[in-house]
Amino acid sequence: MRLNAFLASALFSSAAIVGNVRADDLDDLAADASSSVTESSSSTSSIERPTFTPSKVKAPFFEQFTDDWDSRWSASHAKKEQDKNSEKADEEWAYVGTWSVEEPTVLKGIEGDKGLTVKNAAAHHAISAKFPKKIDNKGKTLVVQYEVKLQNGLECGGAYLKLLQDNKALHAEEFSNASPYVIMFGPDKCGSTNKVHFIFKHKNPKTGEYEEKHLKAPPAARIVKTTSLYTLIVKPDQTFEIKIDGERVKNGTLLDDFSPSVNPPKEVEDPKDKKPSDWVDEAKISDPEAAKPEDWDEDAPFEIVDEEAQKPDDWLENEPSVVPDPEAEKPEDWDDEEDGDWMPPTVPNPRCEEASGCGKWEKPMKSNPAFKGPWTAPLIDNPAYKGVWKPRKIANPSYFEDKAPANFEPMGAIGFEIWTMQSDILFDNIYIGHSIEDAEKLKSETFDVKHAVEKQEEEASKPEVPEKPKSPMDLNFMEDPVHYIREKVELFMTIAKSDPMEAIKFVPEVAGGLVAVVVTVLALVVAMFSMGGATPPPQVKKAAEKVKQTAVDAKDQAVDAATSGSEAVRAEAQKRTTRSSGPVE
């Protein structure tokens, strides 16, 4: 391993000697890099983008954030309410995050297509828009669809929307987390949590109270920088479907797939029922007729000394297991009068590592075959066992049955109330209505068009990954110097094991490197003598001259050998497998 590292260092030193690194190579490399950047930039800018045209799709609420968007949307600056029972009950949070309607700055799909954008990282944001008239989906299909573009990704934060309950407070108060909502839908991610929320609030017909119903096993959000399309469809038959980018990722029913369930159980345990005092719920008991065997020795130890063990021949009985650290040095600020006599720390005795052990040898312990431990009576079935006691069931006084939870409360507005660690989350093409066909049409007009352009631009902006050469003789030093040197050194070592002269002939770069290192070392020796004012010994001077001449000859021979031996080395090189590209084809 050390030899390979030495050869690698030598090859770096000899690169200029054997002619592998030239000034024009560096110029070519810089030109190639510049050309690559230019080509990438031009390929991205050459992508044809369609121009935004407002859709003619109609819906109870449809938003494409055209120039008059601020007449419909209102940012909130209310205080965010905290749970009175939480640790942060005394803290006050305001919605200080700002909003902007602008074109995306990352992977733009359509020219002139703007969206509602979160502008501040690590801030609370809230904004809402009232519907022209309340949306009541009783007996109708409800379709909620919108685009999310995570331009800076999403490490921790939400990108979900809320459909707000239509009531007097909606028109009198600023939107906040305390504003009653009917549906919450959309992506949310923080750490290992990554899901698409679908929560709806259900009114208990007996108490009049609202309770959140959370989707069980929600699908994962799609965290990409291209636009993602989230679609929720709830039908009058109580079924629902969630789609991402038009692909179904979750479906089920409101009655079966939410927690807590919409309808409570018909029966509940009687809170007044108590377990009888004579109830026996132990299934097993100790056998009262069992007796400890006469030969049972409870005092026998778990382990005993192995009397058959013998001290290993290489055991170093006179060697201590630890010795003072020979490399330890007394600290400069150590004061013997105040700190006492300094003692070096101890380290494991290296001699002990080479033997079976050190110090006084003692026979090891082994398991005691006579050990049985404390005796206990075996268990038998309990004849008095009555089973596990449970309270009796009674009719649930709070029971009700809502067969149509999809008949949501009327909705009067939409709001985004989020906290996020990433800025520039963009929302667009919000559809809230009753037509699956219209939502699909909008998808084809907007999302399908921009997503295709975004993917094209994403692919065009990716750096090209050059194909790794399969043979060391096909490598180019300027493309990957480290890989080039590693492969050349290993090829030299492989050939040198069988024929050192052939190795020098076929891999002259490595041979030249060795000569260069020797010349450098001798030059340093001569320089050291010169700096000290002494004349180097004649043998040193003579050796330096001889090595210098040898280096010149080696360079010429190496260049000739590189030309004449290239074909032969290919045959040898193809027997090997490089780390990066697998077997030669």
Side-chain angles (χ1 to χ4, degrees):
M1 194 69 183
R2 293 179 178 174
L3 181 58
N4 281 6
F6 175 79
L7 290 175
S9 175
L11 190 55
F12 265 123
S13 304
S14 66
I17 295 177
V18 297
N20 281 295
V21 181
R22 301 188 303 273
D24 54 344
D25 287 333
L26 293 172
D27 294 339
D28 292 343
L29 183 64
D32 291 343
S34 175
S35 175
S36 176
V37 172
T38 304
E39 289 177 6
S40 175
S41 176
S42 62
S43 62
T44 302
S45 60
S46 65
I47 294 175
E48 292 186 8
R49 295 182 178 86
T51 302
F52 171 73
T53 302
S55 174
K56 296 182 180 180
V57 168
K58 302 295 182 182
F61 182 81
F62 177 45
E63 181 63 80
Q64 290 192 297
F65 297 100
T66 47
D67 292 341
D68 59 343
W69 71 276
D70 54 356
S71 65
R72 296 181 293 276
W73 291 84
S74 175
S76 174
H77 300 288
K79 298 290 185 182
K80 184 172 182 177
E81 291 192 11
Q82 298 289 350
D83 185 350
K84 295 179 180 179
N85 298 321
S86 73
E87 296 179 357
K88 299 180 180 180
D90 297 332
E91 297 182 17
E92 284 193 357
W93 297 96
Y95 294 104
V96 297
T98 57
W99 300 84
S100 173
V101 168
E102 58 189 42
E103 294 185 55
T105 57
V106 177
L107 303 177
K108 181 166 66 173
I110 299 176
E111 290 289 349
D113 185 17
K114 299 179 181 180
L116 180 66
T117 308
V118 172
K119 296 306 296 178
N120 305 100
H124 296 268
H125 294 73
I127 193 169
S128 61
K130 294 181 175 64
F131 298 153
K133 63 179 182 178
K134 69 179 181 181
I135 297 177
D136 189 344
N137 76 304
K138 288 182 174 64
K140 302 176 184 177
T141 294
L142 176 66
V143 182
V144 179
Q145 180 172 284
Y146 73 114
E147 294 175 359
V148 178
K149 188 175 180 65
L150 308 172
Q151 299 186 85
N152 294 324
L154 186 63
E155 294 296 329
C156 189
Y160 44 80
L161 58 75
K162 292 180 178 179
L163 302 184
L164 308 180
Q165 190 181 81
D166 185 65
N167 54 27
K168 293 181 180 179
L170 178 66
H171 302 279
E173 301 172 1
E174 271 199 289
F175 172 53
S176 73
N177 63 318
S179 302
Y181 71 87
V182 179
I183 289 175
M184 176 172 150
F185 172 65
D188 189 15
K189 182 181 185 300
C190 194
S192 60
T193 299
N194 181 22
K195 59 185 175 182
V196 178
H197 284 295
F198 176 21
I199 305 171
F200 69 91
K201 284 194 173 182
H202 180 261
K203 184 178 181 180
N204 186 314
K206 285 201 167 186
T207 64
E209 296 181 352
Y210 289 89
E211 185 178 41
E212 288 183 351
K213 308 296 180 181
H214 293 249
L215 175 62
K216 301 174 184 176
R222 198 157 290 177
I223 311 300
V224 293
K225 293 186 179 182
T226 54
T227 299
S228 295
L229 182 69
Y230 289 88
T231 307
L232 169 66
I233 302 170
V234 182
K235 297 182 178 179
D237 63 359
Q238 314 312 310
T239 61
F240 74 90
E241 182 178 10
I242 295 175
K243 296 180 179 181
I244 302 180
D245 298 350
E247 174 188 354
R248 185 172 70 184
V249 294
K250 183 76 175 180
N251 67 310
T253 72
L254 301 185
L255 294 169
D256 300 325
D257 296 288
F258 286 78
S259 178
S261 62
V262 171
N263 296 315
K266 291 183 178 182
E267 292 184 325
V268 294
E269 294 180 347
D270 185 355
K272 298 180 180 179
D273 191 17
K274 306 297 181 183
K275 184 172 74 171
S277 58
D278 61 346
W279 187 276
V280 179
D281 50 13
E282 290 84 17
K284 298 281 186 179
I285 59 171
S286 299
D287 186 355
E289 299 181 1
K292 183 174 71 171
E294 294 181 0
D295 62 346
W296 191 284
D297 185 3
E298 291 188 342
D299 298 327
F302 177 70
E303 289 184 326
I304 58 174
V305 176
D306 185 0
E307 299 294 347
E308 298 178 357
Q310 295 182 352
K311 184 175 70 174
D313 294 336
D314 62 343
W315 189 277
L316 305 176
E317 196 153 4
N318 296 324
E319 283 285 342
S321 59
V322 294
V323 294
D325 185 356
E327 298 181 0
E329 295 182 359
K330 181 179 177 180
E332 294 180 1
D333 58 350
W334 186 277
D335 189 328
D336 289 339
E337 293 182 0
E338 294 185 3
D339 303 324
D341 293 335
W342 181 79
M343 299 291 290
T346 57
V347 294
N349 190 342
R351 295 194 62 187
C352 299
E353 296 178 1
E354 301 171 358
S356 298
C358 292
K360 183 181 178 181
W361 181 82
E362 294 180 351
K363 292 184 178 181
M365 303 294 285
K366 69 175 184 178
S367 298
N368 184 3
F371 173 76
K372 293 185 178 180
W375 181 86
T376 56
L379 297 177
I380 61 171
D381 291 335
N382 187 355
Y385 177 63
K386 293 184 177 181
V388 178
W389 183 85
K390 294 180 180 179
R392 63 174 172 265
K393 295 283 188 177
I394 60 172
N396 186 357
S398 301
Y399 175 74
F400 64 84
E401 185 179 17
D402 183 353
K403 295 182 178 180
N407 290 331
F408 299 119
E409 294 283 312
M411 294 162 279
I414 178 177
F416 291 97
E417 189 268 318
I418 57 179
W419 179 88
T420 176
M421 287 298 294
Q422 278 67 46
S423 62
D424 293 325
I425 299 174
L426 184 146
F427 305 102
D428 198 7
N429 292 316
I430 304 171
Y431 174 94
I432 302 171
H434 308 294
S435 173
I436 297 175
E437 292 74 20
D438 285 349
E440 285 288 339
K441 181 181 178 183
L442 177 63
K443 170 181 173 291
S444 64
E445 292 177 355
T446 56
F447 172 77
D448 289 348
V449 175
K450 71 172 63 175
H451 192 254
V453 176
E454 290 173 349
K455 294 297 289 185
Q456 186 180 356
E457 182 178 345
E458 186 179 47
E459 288 298 320
S461 61
K462 286 183 179 179
E464 292 186 7
V465 180
E467 183 180 352
K468 294 287 185 180
K470 291 185 171 61
S471 168
M473 300 309 297
D474 296 332
L475 296 172
N476 186 302
F477 180 86
M478 298 308 299
E479 291 179 358
D480 190 344
V482 175
H483 182 65
Y484 175 90
I485 292 170
R486 183 189 299 120
E487 292 298 322
K488 289 288 186 179
V489 169
E490 292 192 2
L491 178 59
F492 180 88
M493 295 298 297
T494 300
I495 301 174
K497 288 177 182 179
S498 57
D499 192 336
M501 294 306 298
E502 288 297 305
I504 295 173
K505 179 180 179 181
F506 293 146
V507 195
E509 302 94 324
V510 179
L514 289 172
V515 173
V517 169
V518 173
V519 171
T520 303
V521 171
L522 286 174
L524 289 173
V525 172
V526 173
M528 289 173 62
F529 275 107
S530 299
M531 290 174 64
T535 304
Q539 58 269 32
V540 173
K541 216 170 182 182
K542 184 176 180 181
E545 291 295 331
K546 184 176 181 180
V547 170
K548 184 177 180 181
Q549 184 58 43
T550 303
V552 175
D553 296 340
K555 174 190 172 183
D556 297 336
Q557 292 173 7
V559 173
D560 293 339
T563 304
S564 62
S566 61
E567 292 301 322
V569 75
R570 285 181 185 275
E572 178 67 26
Q574 289 179 356
K575 298 177 183 178
R576 305 172 60 251
T577 301
T578 62
R579 292 189 181 90
S580 59
S581 54
V584 177
E585 297 177 354

